[in-house]
Amino acid sequence: MTAPVLGRLEWKPADEVPELLAEPVRAALGEVPAWAVAIDPELADTAAFCAEYDVPMAASANCVIVHGKRAGESTYAAVMVLATHRADVNGVVRKHLGARKISFAAQDDAVGSTGMEYGGITPIGLPAAWPVLVDDAVAQAGLVVIGSGIRGSKLLIDGAELAKLPSATTLELGTPG
């Protein structure tokens, strides 16, 4: 697998650097072609990461965990959107999940439920029952940088692979901005 060039980083096949992945990510990645790189954990947030490592914001996708409620039922889901876009959480995401009320998941809940570090949560390795909602723009973007489950590294993966995750649904849920 030839390492891609993106930013000022030396990407390595993810299966060759398992120490750069959170355990749930390592267990779920399987045969998905992905590359990983170690980064400064203080620069894990998208804007800081992109600025420091010369990675375009349009080549980064963010994963946010949302929590929906309806009639006493509770649902968690992951929402994948390009860093240059905003997810329509209160519209498209809420309606797709059938939730009456939706909010971003509390940090403690997100970390405890995923086994991943806050700021590094990624759709790969999430609990099987959680829907993964992938914005069309992410699925069509080609290679995108996402979290690795820890703040000290990133994954590089084709957005189309995210759309193939077992619990993934591709939707038009992001808007530029």
Side-chain angles (χ1 to χ4, degrees):
M1 192 160 50
T2 304
V5 176
L6 182 63
R8 296 183 299 102
L9 298 160
E10 291 186 35
W11 298 94
K12 297 182 180 181
D15 61 352
E16 292 180 12
V17 286
E19 69 278 7
L20 296 181
L21 310 175
E23 176 54 36
V25 178
R26 197 169 34 245
L29 196 55
E31 299 298 314
V32 176
W35 296 267
V37 68
I39 64 163
D40 180 341
E42 296 298 315
L43 301 171
D45 293 336
T46 304
F49 167 81
C50 289
E52 177 66 23
Y53 297 107
D54 294 330
V55 172
M57 292 283 281
S60 293
N62 292 326
C63 179
V64 294
I65 305 300
V66 296
H67 182 220
K69 295 179 182 177
R70 181 181 191 103
E73 294 294 319
S74 181
T75 303
Y76 285 93
V79 177
M80 291 298 303
V81 66
L82 291 176
T84 55
H85 287 61
R86 296 178 55 97
D88 183 2
V89 173
N90 286 313
V92 176
V93 174
R94 183 183 60 76
K95 288 176 186 167
H96 181 79
L97 295 176
R100 183 184 57 75
K101 180 181 175 186
I102 196 158
S103 59
F104 293 105
Q107 181 175 339
D108 290 346
D109 289 344
V111 169
S113 298
T114 64
M116 300 181 203
E117 294 178 8
Y118 194 76
I121 294 174
T122 192
I124 299 167
L126 290 176
W130 288 19
V132 175
L133 308 181
V134 180
D135 184 44
D136 289 335
V138 172
Q140 297 167 9
L143 292 176
V144 291
V145 176
I146 63 172
S148 65
I150 63 172
R151 290 183 63 85
S153 65
K154 293 286 187 179
L155 280 175
L156 183 63
I157 188 169
D158 190 313
E161 293 293 332
L162 297 174
K164 294 178 188 175
L165 292 172
S167 60
T169 301
T170 305
L171 301 165
E172 188 174 326
L173 54 88
T175 56

